[in-house]
Every structure is written in C-alpha cells, then in structure tokens.
C-alpha cells in the first residue's frame, strides 16, 4: 500500500517508469553512433559484457539502497551510514548527485527542445510555411530558448502529478508508443535500398580494429549514462518499489530493456545512414569516419528524409516524435531527483517543489542557451565524464563498504526469500565491493589522463 510517500502501483508500473528513465537519447542516438564509430559489432559485444558485469550491479546498489531508505539520495545515504563522518560524506555525495541530475537536465532539455522543433518542421513545410520550417531547423538562440522552455514545462507538469499520476501514468502511455514507433521505423528503413549494407556494418564485427582501452572506456561511459546511474535517479525510483517485489529480477528487467532498445535503435540508425548514402547524402566525414553526434541527427537524417519525398515527411515526423518521447520519459526521472529532495527535506508540496526546481533548472538551461559555445560542451563534460563516474563509485562504496551486509541482505530478501542461496548473492557483494569501484576508477583515470 502507498503510504504518505508515493509508490508504483505494480511491477509493470515500475518497469515502464524505470525503463523510461533508462531509455533516452543515450540509447537512440548515443549508442548507435558510438557503435558506428567504434567498430560496429565489437562495440556491441563489449557493451553487452560491461552492461551486465558492471552497470547492472551498480544499478542494483541504487535500487536496494533506495528501497531500504524510502527516501531521496541525500537522506538515503545518511541512513545507511554508521558514523558521523560517513553520514556527512553520504549527505554530500547525495547533494552533488542532485546537482548533477539538475545540470544533466539543463543540457538535456535543450537537446530535447531541438527534437520537438524538428518534429514540427515537416508539418510546417507541408503547410507551405517555409520560413517557419527553416526557423525551426535553423540554429538560433530564440528557437533554443523557446523549445527548451516548452520541454521543461512538459517535464514539470508530469512530475507535479506525483509518482502514480505523473511518472507512472505517463511512462505507461509513452513507452508503448516509443516501442511501436521504433519498430515501425525499423521495418520501413529495412526495405529501402542500402539498408543491408548498414546492417552488415552494424552486426559484423570488424576485428581488424581490435579491442582497445578507449573502446572499453566509451562502452562503460555509455552504459552508465544509459542506465541513469550515479545521480540518485534510480535510487529514488527504487524507493517507490513495493517491499513485496523481487528487486533483483526487476533490476535485471530494466537492464535487459535498456540494452534491447539500444540494440534495436542501432538497427534503425546505422541502416538509415547507408540508405542516405545510397540516396546521395554524405555520411562520412573528411577523415573517413561515419558522421556522428549532432550532425548525424540534425543534418544527415533530415537530408535522408528530404530524399524520400512524401513518405519522408511522415518518417521524419515519426522519428523526431520518437526522440521527443524518449527524452521526456528520461527527463522526468532527472527532475524527480531534486524534486523529491525538496519535498522530503524541506516540507514543500510536490506541486510547489516541481515548479520551483523546474524554474531554477530552466534558468540554468537559459544561461547555457545564451552562452552556448562556452557552456554547452562544458556542462556535458563535467556531468557525464567526471561527476557521474565518481558518484557511481561513491554509491558502490556505500553499498559495498559502509552499509551493513546483513541489512543489505535483509532488504533483498524482502521480496525474494531465497536470496541468500541465489547466484546474485554469491556474486553481487564481491562486485560491488571490489570489481565495480576498481573498474570505475580505471575508466576514470583513463578519461582524465587520456
Ligand atoms: N538514461 C537516459 C538516456 O539514455 C538519460 C538519463 C536519464 C540520465 N536520467 C539520467 C543520465 C540520470 C544520467 C543520469 O538518455
């Protein structure tokens, strides 16, 4: 039963909400382009191994701590601590996590705003509003600001509805739509000339490249971003899971869905690029690498849609709606991290907290929009390259070293009586104590030094 705190109404409710958080621009845009520029199927293989071996254990740490503490990340890390020093470090880690989630939302909302603008562009072109269409797809401060604000407002309205009437309700509506549109687009693109060549690049490993350290670093970073780890997002979602649920299998479902959608998105994006090439669009840069990142999404793909005639309008619209949906179910989880903190620690109502926090984040986002060249890349780097792995490391330390092992086991056993005899309990404690922290440190050192 839901008490004063919110709680997901069912297993499925949690799965849709948490996979909604996990599945985002990172899956549909980040993963395929990383795979394309890191040797195709080799990247896929490394990614699969790391996602299961390292990201899944870290996800479990967040879910277990969250469900045990029934609170936001600041209060949760304080609760699992056993002395004044670790309580202080816990609160500090939680606080940095919340700030990081807010900063991630600040840049994510700008990118998501572009997706909305690009979704509206084909419709306005159809209505012969050509000036509007080119304003929507052109890079301007006004456009960036307007659509960032629209996206923030949508995110805020959903979060102000609460756990069941906001997060769960909208994730349950949007996630099936996302899967439906994704599958429809894949089916369509696969029938076009050129698609098979892209499929080969994506699925056949190019062993000549080998597996270098940089590839591993990229794959681990991608897995952590994709599972929304480190900043207390999964922790707060975990706190809304009923004590009767088997949390180990829930975490596994989220990991599988997240990986599954990323792999599926690769089946769309990479073949689509080769269809574009077939239609005369440039898909390699001067150095001979596949064009990636923003040029891929906002130049190569729209150029492809343009070559498709009438169908291109529909396909382009569907694609950017897909991106918008993916972004929205992720952004609500980012906003929930600071909002739950403000609600729980400062006693403000959910409505007031949602609007207050969204307002502050919108101001930060606007600052980024006005100083785009200086701040956009900087904020992305700071949050995803530095803060996220370090916070992930801290969470592993809290789950593996600071929190009492017996309490951890008791929490897992709540919905999983045979937990003690399970494979999970034989492996996970070792992972979270030694393997995950060491791996994260190695990757982090690589990033900083390399
Ligand atoms: N996982 C989402 C994606 O793949 C993004 C996301 C949501 C996220 N919540 C997060 C990333 C928290 C980092 C931290 O796009």
């Amino acid at each position: 039963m839901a008490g004063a705190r919110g709680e997901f109404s069912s297993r499925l409710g949690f799965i849709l909400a948490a996979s909604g958080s996990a599945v985002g621009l990172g899956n549909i845009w980040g993963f395929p382009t990383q795979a394309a520029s890191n040797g195709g199927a080799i990247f896929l293989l490394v990614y699969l191994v790391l996602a299961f071996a390292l990201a899944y254990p870290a996800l479990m740490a967040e879910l277990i701590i969250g469900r045990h503490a029934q609170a936001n990340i600041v209060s949760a890390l304080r609760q699992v601590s056993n002395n004044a020093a670790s309580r202080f470090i816990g609160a500090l880690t939680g606080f940095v996590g919340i700030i990081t989630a807010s900063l991630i939302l600040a840049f994510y909302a700008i990118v998501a705003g572009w997706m909305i603008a690009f979704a509206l562009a084909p419709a306005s072109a159809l209505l012969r509003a050509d000036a509007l269409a080119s304003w929507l797809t052109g890079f301007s401060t006004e456009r960036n600001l307007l659509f960032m604000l629209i996206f923030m407002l949508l995110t805020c309205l959903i979060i102000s509805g609460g756990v069941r009437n906001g997060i769960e309700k909208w994730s349950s509506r949007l996630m099936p739509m996302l899967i439906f549109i994704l599958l429809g687009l894949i089916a369509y693109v696969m029938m076009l000339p050129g698609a098979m060549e892209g499929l080969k690049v994506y699925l056949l490993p190019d062993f000549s490249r080998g597996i270098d350290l940089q590839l591993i670093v990229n794959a681990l970073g991608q897995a952590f971003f994709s599972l929304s780890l480190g900043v207390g997002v999964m922790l707060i979602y975990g706190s809304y899971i009923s004590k009767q649920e088997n949390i180990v299998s829930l975490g596994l479902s989220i990991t599988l869905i997240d990986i599954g959608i990323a792999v599926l998105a690769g089946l769309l994006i990479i073949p689509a690029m080769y269809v574009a090439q077939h239609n005369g669009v440039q898909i390699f840069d001067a150095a001979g690498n596949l064009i990636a990142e923003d040029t891929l999404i906002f130049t190569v793909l729209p150029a492809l849609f343009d070559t498709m005639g009438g169908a291109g309008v529909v396909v382009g619209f569907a694609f950017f709606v897909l991106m918008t949906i993916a972004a929205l179910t992720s952004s609500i989880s980012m906003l929930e991290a600071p909002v739950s903190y403000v609600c729980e620690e400062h006693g403000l109502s959910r409505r007031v907290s949602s609007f207050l926090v969204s307002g502050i984040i919108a101001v930060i986002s606007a600052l980024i929009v006005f100083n785009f060249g200086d701040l956009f890349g900087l904020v992305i780097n700071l949050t995803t390259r530095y803060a996220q792995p370090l916070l992930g490391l801290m969470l592993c330390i809290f789950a593996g070293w600071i929190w009492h092992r017996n309490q951890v086991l008791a929490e897992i056993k709540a919905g999983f009586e045979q937990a003690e005899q399970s494979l999970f309990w034989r492996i996970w404690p070792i992972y979270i104590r030694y393997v995950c922290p060491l791996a994260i440190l190695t990757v982090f050192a690589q990033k900083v030094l390399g």
Side-chain angles (χ1 to χ4, degrees), residues 19-39:
S19 59
S21 167
V23 173
L25 301 177
N27 299 60
I28 301 184
W29 171 0
F31 178 81
T33 57
Q34 292 248 23
S37 40
N38 285 292

Side-chain angles (χ1 to χ4, degrees), residues 20-28 101 104 108 222 224-231 233 258 326 329-331 333-334 384 388:
S21 167
V23 173
L25 301 177
N27 299 60
I28 301 184
I104 291 179
Y108 208 81
Q222 174 64 30
F224 266 66
F225 184 83
S226 191
L227 276 172
S228 315
L229 296 178
V231 301
V233 162
D258 186 53
T329 54
S330 294
S331 66
S333 74
M334 296 171 199
T384 64
Q388 241 193 316

Side-chain angles (χ1 to χ4, degrees), residues 17 43 70 94 149 174 188 288:
F43 184 80
Q70 295 287 299
L149 289 172
L174 294 174
Y188 181 73

Side-chain angles (χ1 to χ4, degrees), residues 233-248:
V233 162
M234 285 301 179
L235 191 150
I236 192 72
Y237 274 25
S239 80
Y240 303 138
I241 302 176
S242 146
K243 293 272 185 191
Q244 271 102 52
E245 299 294 348
N246 178 338
I247 204 166
V248 174

Side-chain angles (χ1 to χ4, degrees), residues 145-225:
L145 192 64
L146 177 67
F147 286 95
M148 176 276 284
L149 289 172
I150 292 174
F151 185 80
M152 279 302 297
L153 185 65
L154 288 176
T155 306
C156 173
L157 288 174
I158 295 179
I159 282 302
S160 70
V163 178
R164 276 195 199 178
N165 286 320
I167 300 174
E168 183 176 339
K169 183 161 112 189
W170 281 96
S171 303
S172 308
R173 288 177 181 169
L174 294 174
M175 286 307 285
M177 275 170 73
L178 179 142
I179 292 174
F180 182 77
I181 300 176
L182 181 61
L183 292 178
L185 283 173
I186 293 173
Y188 181 73
V189 165
M190 283 302 167
M191 294 184 308
L192 301 175
M196 287 307 133
E197 199 183 335
L199 199 59
K200 276 188 211 144
V201 171
Y202 180 47
L203 293 180
L204 299 180
D206 172 8
F207 284 113
S208 67
R209 276 188 58 105
I211 301 179
D212 55 13
L213 201 55
Q214 191 54 44
L215 189 148
I216 297 177
V217 169
N218 293 347
L220 189 65
Q222 174 64 30
F224 266 66
F225 184 83

